[in-house]
Amino acid sequence: MQKAYHRLQKMALSDNNIAILHNKNPWLPMWWSAALPGLGHLCQGFYIRGIILMSWEILLNFKGHINLAILYTFTGDFTRATQVLEPRWAIFYGVVFCFAIYDAYRNSVEVNMLARLERKQHQHQYLMMKMSTYGVNFLSKANPWVAAVWSIMLTGFGHIYNNKIFKALILLGWTIAIMYFANLNGAIIQTFLGEFERAKQTIDYQWLLFFPSIYIFGIWDAYNDSTEMSKVFNNVQKSYLKKIYGQGRKIT
């Protein structure tokens, strides 16, 4: 039997990851890159590019004290914002920031074009399961709200639920690092004990300002990934049932 030819793949399935080709509003990756460079690439599946840009952004931000300058600016302490800012590192940061936004938008436009071309194919490539000595992975109908709740508990867990292991490791690793260096858990405990002044002194705002972006992104992205996985799972089932009943065969 001749194997069906697929010029463009709908999806790819490995032992520890699932990749799906689908449309995404280009403004969303652009926005997430503005929130934290690298996130706009992660949501599109460009993991290597994403972790490089995210790592560089955090390093340059830390060296240039960008977050502290932003904090002092929003609180009206412009003199202190000027004093804390390190211009030599801030210039590098501006280049990385602008490139991440541009590249995320450009990639999204090109991926959308490929997704539209893939939909016009008469044959689509679907994979249900991948198994090896390194692990077992399979396509399933995920619940977006379950993924979102686990991401609320700890960023990265929702992606593990979605079998997006590479993205989970990136997000989980940086989330733990940010929470550790920001002394966030200690400040939370002190807040619950009513020691508000001590919590304020404990927290490191240079690291804390990274947290909202990666935390909210983790919730949104886990929900979005689950939604797309469910759509592909439904398409797989429809394609299989159409093929079986179209040929007059029984489902085994």
Side-chain angles (χ1 to χ4, degrees):
M1 181 177 179
Q2 187 178 3
K3 187 176 180 180
Y5 171 70
H6 306 281
R7 185 184 179 193
L8 294 172
Q9 290 182 249
K10 177 63 179 176
M11 62 175 296
L13 188 67
S14 67
D15 301 335
N16 296 296
N17 197 51
I18 297 175
I20 298 173
L21 185 65
H22 63 90
N23 281 332
K24 190 183 295 292
N25 189 328
W27 291 101
L28 289 174
M30 186 176 177
W31 158 253
W32 284 117
S33 291
L36 183 63
L39 294 182
H41 292 78
L42 291 183
C43 72
Q44 299 181 78
F46 296 98
Y47 300 135
I48 302 299
R49 218 177 302 186
I51 194 172
I52 290 173
L53 289 171
M54 187 183 298
S55 300
W56 266 108
E57 195 279 342
I58 292 176
L59 174 64
L60 295 174
N61 193 310
F62 181 78
K63 289 291 186 179
H65 305 122
I66 306 296
N67 281 347
L68 288 179
I70 293 172
L71 177 64
Y72 295 142
T73 300
F74 279 116
T75 56
D77 194 346
F78 302 109
T79 301
R80 198 171 180 185
T82 304
Q83 292 174 347
V84 78
L85 188 66
E86 177 54 64
R88 292 175 297 178
W89 289 101
I91 293 174
F92 287 124
Y93 176 85
V95 176
V96 173
F97 183 79
C98 293
F99 174 79
I101 295 174
Y102 159 77
D103 197 53
Y105 184 89
R106 179 185 66 86
N107 287 332
S108 183
V109 170
E110 294 183 358
V111 169
N112 287 347
M113 187 184 303
L114 293 175
R116 288 193 294 270
L117 290 174
E118 192 280 330
R119 286 201 303 270
K120 293 181 180 296
Q121 294 182 147
H122 296 293
Q123 298 289 336
H124 304 279
Q125 184 183 43
Y126 296 117
L127 299 171
M128 286 295 294
M129 185 176 182
K130 179 74 174 181
M131 182 170 60
S132 74
T133 55
Y134 297 102
V136 179
N137 198 4
F138 52 88
L139 180 66
S140 62
K141 192 169 185 177
N143 187 325
W145 290 107
V146 173
V149 168
W150 279 117
S151 291
I152 291 172
M153 300 296 291
L154 184 61
T155 302
F157 278 7
H159 294 83
I160 294 176
Y161 168 78
N162 290 331
N163 294 326
K164 297 268 189 173
I165 304 302
F166 295 151
K167 195 188 299 188
L169 288 175
I170 296 171
L171 293 174
L172 186 60
W174 270 119
T175 298
I176 293 175
I178 291 169
M179 293 178 68
Y180 175 80
F181 288 113
N183 300 316
L184 184 58
N185 285 343
I188 292 173
I189 294 172
Q190 290 161 2
T191 301
F192 277 113
L193 294 176
E195 301 175 358
F196 303 111
E197 192 62 33
R198 188 179 175 188
K200 185 178 178 180
Q201 294 173 356
T202 298
I203 205 74
D204 187 331
Y205 291 98
Q206 172 63 37
W207 283 96
L208 180 65
L209 292 185
F210 291 123
F211 185 75
S213 296
I214 196 170
Y215 182 72
I216 297 173
F217 171 81
I219 299 171
W220 172 82
D221 193 59
Y223 183 95
N224 185 67
D225 282 345
S226 293
T227 302
E228 294 300 328
M229 285 174 57
S230 297
K231 289 179 182 178
V232 173
F233 181 84
N234 290 336
N235 289 336
V236 171
Q237 294 297 93
K238 289 178 183 178
S239 178
Y240 176 74
L241 293 174
K242 183 177 179 180
K243 179 180 178 181
I244 294 297
Y245 283 107
Q247 296 178 355
R249 297 177 182 175
K250 294 181 178 180
I251 299 178
T252 57

